[in-house]
Structures are given as structure tokens and as C-alpha cells.
Amino acid sequence: SRTYGYQHFSLEVDDIHAMVDHLVAQGLVPDSYLSKGVDGTWQCWFHDPDGNPFELMEYTKDSMQLMEN
């Protein structure tokens, strides 16, 4: 039997540093340190209360997702 679903969901934020600080102040513990990925995008990972992983991300001027081909 095959299981379908998603790996995680991602939320784009305007100021990831402020959002991470806010979530930590509310008692959430990040699963990873705030870092810039190989794609040039800021990212940080958390889990929701049900254990589902989610990513916060903030695009930068160098983010590959924003580059034109």
C-alpha cells in the first residue's frame, strides 16, 4: 500500500529573524538554527503541536527561486 501526503509546508515571511524571535518568545523550540540555504534563501524549521514539520523562509536578492532563467 502506498501512502500519500506531504513532506512539510513552508511559510514565506518578510522578516525571518523577527519571526523566529517571536516564536521562540512564545515557547516554540526551533528544530534547526536559522541559516541561509544553498539556494540563497533564509530558512528555519519548527514542528507544530501535532508534530508536523514546517519551514519558515525569507527570500533574498540571491535566492535561486527568484532568478530568471
Side-chain angles (χ1 to χ4, degrees):
S1 152
R2 215 172 198 176
T3 303
Y4 294 93
Y6 68 97
Q7 296 296 317
H8 74 280
F9 65 92
S10 183
L11 302 168
E12 181 184 358
V13 297
D14 293 328
D15 185 342
I16 194 168
H17 294 85
M19 181 58 72
V20 169
D21 289 346
H22 175 73
L23 292 175
V24 168
Q26 299 301 312
L28 273 76
V29 177
D31 294 336
S32 69
Y33 292 107
L34 181 61
S35 65
K36 194 177 284 187
V38 296
D39 61 357
T41 301
W42 283 107
Q43 59 185 353
C44 190
W45 292 80
F46 290 87
H47 273 80
D48 72 12
D50 292 323
N52 300 300
F54 69 92
E55 173 189 16
L56 296 179
M57 65 175 203
E58 178 186 340
Y59 289 129
T60 69
K61 64 178 180 58
D62 299 320
S63 293
M64 286 189 204
Q65 296 90 332
L66 302 179
M67 300 283 179
E68 292 188 30
N69 293 328

